[in-house]
Amino acid sequence: MITPADTEVPDPEVAREVPQGRWTARLLASLISMVLVLEVLSASLTMVAVGLPRIVAEYHTTQGAWLSAAYMLVGAVISPLVGKLADMHGKRKLLLIMMVLATVGAVVSASAPTYGLMITGRTLQGFLTPAMFLVYSLIRDVFPRNKVALSVSISMSGLGVFTAVSPYVTAWVLDHWGFRGIFWIIAVCLPILVVMISLTTPETSVRVRSRVDLLGAVLFAIGLSGILVGVSFGPTWGWGSTSTVTYFVVGAVVLAVWVVSALRLRDPLIDIRYFRRRPLFLTAVTAGLAYGSTQSFTTVLPILCMTPAALGLGYGLGLDAFGFAPILAAFGIALAVGGFIVGKLVRYIEARMLLGLGLLLIGLGAVLTAVEHENRGLLIVFATLVGLGMGFGVSSVPNLVIAAVPAQVQASVASVIVVVTSTGSAVLPVAVFAVLNSHIATAAQGHVLYSGSGMNLAFVIPAACAFFGMIVSFAVRWRIRG
């Protein structure tokens, strides 16, 4: 909750707006360094998605979903915590700390001899997730006010460009250095950017006095992790086994304790009382479905495309990383285009309708992939649909949040929405892989191969979730007034 104590400004001179100014070499270097941080954040997801088939083959595992789930789960837990600490102790300081932790994680993943250590490294890399809002906050606080809008726009468009070219960069890295090269690149780039930001970007003012809900963070992480482990390993252990049931029960009980704690605390990690407001609740649900469906699609798609067709599983194009690159590049370009379209239309069409249209496109792309996946040209079209839909979603959700709450609590509410979208991006891929692991066709030389029916379901599930979100957006009235 936001209280007068939370928003007290200790020094009016420190809190004043940065006056107008011109571009200088230091300001340009600061912008470039922060944009590159967001590029590394993008690479942490897209490059690992392309390298997923080689990683799971190397470790002979069926738990490939945890490469993204661990990353997203950490992002969901720490984003509100980091946001609060950044307001208390300085945004640049927290950004640098997150980058250092992510660097350690990249080194661990790059050198991991076991899949457990690989996941440990990915968990630490998830600490880079808050960089998204920390970078924007720094630009807002320390850049001249006449340069803020342009700088933020450059940051966003930079992400779109890298999403388009990253498949080709990843293909080159995989061919020359293997999948470990992906993590070594991250481990080398982040320390360089730490130095650049330290030298070029001033610290923002300390503006908020608040309390940190560490207990809430621990309870949320344990509860959600318990349920995810139960879903992920249920097909292996048996859904009625003692281990599976124990994880489900412990996870549910801990989450229930967390909810009670969040409702009673004055300043909880995640103020779930926001969800009593119908517009915010529906925004969170539809946003979580959009992000989760898209993450599931992009996680499974490389496996479908890179499986050899000669195996006769009913799917597989036998593509290498370079062959798969145009498909993911089409997705990235379409995502950027979708965001641009929403920016032009949102003044004339309700944001919830645009979000619903985005969910419709995501669902269509996923279900068409389930029906027809033996032609690379068609897969490029289907990936374009999903990317366009995700672009609609990414740009519509902030507009819904802006319209739903007053300005003084928009940052807090935005962090809650980030938690929901990150959680959706973690949970749904794990559920999809649980279904895949119930449809294993064979294991050739330690490599797990899924049946054609299992692969179809892996795309039908995110399609169904997207269509459900579309219905909520179109059919349920939740227009915000005032």
Side-chain angles (χ1 to χ4, degrees), residues 62-79:
T62 60
Q63 302 300 324
W66 280 94
L67 284 169
S68 64
Y71 190 100
M72 294 296 182
L73 178 60
V74 170
V77 173
I78 69 169
S79 286

Side-chain angles (χ1 to χ4, degrees), residues 160-450:
V161 169
F162 190 79
T163 303
V165 303
S166 66
Y168 298 96
V169 175
T170 306
W172 184 86
V173 171
L174 288 172
D175 284 348
H176 289 80
W177 298 336
F179 72 85
R180 297 184 188 276
I182 295 173
F183 302 106
W184 283 122
I185 288 178
I186 296 172
V188 170
C189 290
L190 283 177
I192 296 173
L193 295 175
V194 166
V195 174
M196 289 178 62
I197 291 176
S198 299
L199 295 176
T200 63
T201 307
E203 179 61 278
T204 185
S205 308
V206 177
R207 301 185 179 190
V208 173
R209 298 172 187 170
S210 185
R211 287 177 287 187
V212 178
D213 181 18
L214 293 177
L215 177 61
V218 172
L219 291 175
F220 182 72
I222 293 175
L224 188 58
S225 298
I227 292 176
L228 285 177
V229 170
V231 171
S232 182
F233 290 93
T236 303
W237 296 337
W239 293 110
S241 69
T242 302
S243 298
T244 303
V245 173
T246 299
Y247 273 102
F248 277 130
V249 171
V250 171
V253 170
V254 173
L255 280 180
V257 173
W258 167 73
V259 169
V260 173
S261 172
L263 289 173
R264 292 187 175 184
L265 288 177
R266 170 181 172 273
D267 201 11
L269 173 74
I270 303 170
D271 196 340
I272 58 178
R273 284 164 288 205
Y274 285 131
F275 294 117
R276 293 175 181 173
R277 302 185 65 178
R278 184 179 180 187
L280 286 178
F281 174 75
L282 295 176
T283 297
V285 169
T286 50
L289 290 171
Y291 277 73
S293 299
T294 303
Q295 185 65 38
S296 298
F297 179 87
T298 55
T299 300
V300 178
L301 188 63
I303 298 176
L304 180 146
C305 294
M306 296 182 181
T307 299
L311 296 176
L313 297 171
Y315 67 91
L317 300 178
L319 301 178
D320 58 11
F322 273 106
F324 177 70
I327 300 175
L328 195 57
F331 169 86
I333 294 171
L335 192 155
V337 171
F340 176 80
I341 292 173
V342 169
K344 293 295 184 181
L345 296 181
V346 75
R347 288 176 291 178
Y348 312 104
I349 302 174
E350 285 186 60
R352 72 178 179 93
M353 303 300 290
L354 294 172
L355 176 57
L357 178 58
L359 284 158
L360 172 62
L361 293 173
I362 294 170
L364 281 176
V367 77
L368 288 173
T369 303
V371 173
E372 174 55 60
H373 42 246
E374 297 182 3
N375 183 292
R376 188 174 73 158
L378 288 177
L379 287 177
I380 291 175
V381 174
F382 302 156
T384 300
L385 288 175
V386 175
L388 189 63
M390 187 57 181
F392 272 59
V394 167
S395 297
S396 298
V397 170
N399 284 283
L400 287 167
V401 173
I402 289 170
V405 296
Q408 62 267 31
V409 295
Q410 281 183 9
S412 298
V413 175
S415 70
V416 174
I417 300 298
V418 168
V419 171
V420 176
T421 55
S422 297
T423 302
S425 298
V427 171
L428 195 53
V430 170
V432 167
F433 267 82
V435 172
L436 280 174
N437 291 333
S438 299
H439 293 78
I440 295 177
T442 184
Q445 298 178 346
H447 299 174
V448 174
L449 301 172
Y450 304 106

